[in-house]
């Protein structure tokens, strides 16, 4: 197996087939690029390795996707601002009504 040195954590990792020459990959798989596999060999590999198919994963529900939107701290900060802003506005309005004379409330010119 061909491997490559990973500089960040100093370990040797196997190189994937996408990073190698096609001839090397075909040789490692004991295949022939021009003729392909025989029917018997294809059946044997299907039984041994399985079908060439990706595994499917069930997508998350809409509720789980909605909850995932609140994982970001910035979103939580904005939600806190949405709650605090109207409360501060209401409290500020009450304080202003108590300190202002009655005549200034009706005439703002």
């Amino acid at each position: 197996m061909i491997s490559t040195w990973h500089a960040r954590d100093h370990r040797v990792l196997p190189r994937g087939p996408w990073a190698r020459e096609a001839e090397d990959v075909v040789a490692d798989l004991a295949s022939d690029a021009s003729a392909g596999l025989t029917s018997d060999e294809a059946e044997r590999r299907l039984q041994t390795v399985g079908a060439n198919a990706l595994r499917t994963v069930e997508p998350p529900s809409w509720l789980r996707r909605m909850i995932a939107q609140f994982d970001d701290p910035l979103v939580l900060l904005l939600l806190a601002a949405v709650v605090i802003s109207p409360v501060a506005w209401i409290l500020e309005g009450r304080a202003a009504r108590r300190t202002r004379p009655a005549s200034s409330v009706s005439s703002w010119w």
Side-chain angles (χ1 to χ4, degrees), residues 14-68:
R15 281 180 65 190
W18 58 88
R20 298 173 42 209
E21 293 295 324
E23 295 83 21
D24 295 337
V25 175
V26 170
D28 284 349
L29 295 174
S31 187
D32 182 7
S34 60
L37 298 175
T38 63
S39 297
D40 293 335
E41 180 65 16
E43 183 64 35
R44 185 187 70 74
R45 289 188 186 191
L46 182 63
Q47 297 299 322
T48 306
V49 181
N52 185 15
L54 297 175
R55 284 175 280 210
T56 59
V57 177
E58 186 175 328
S61 68
W62 68 270
L63 181 60
R64 192 154 306 274
R65 283 186 291 166
M66 179 69 98
I67 291 171

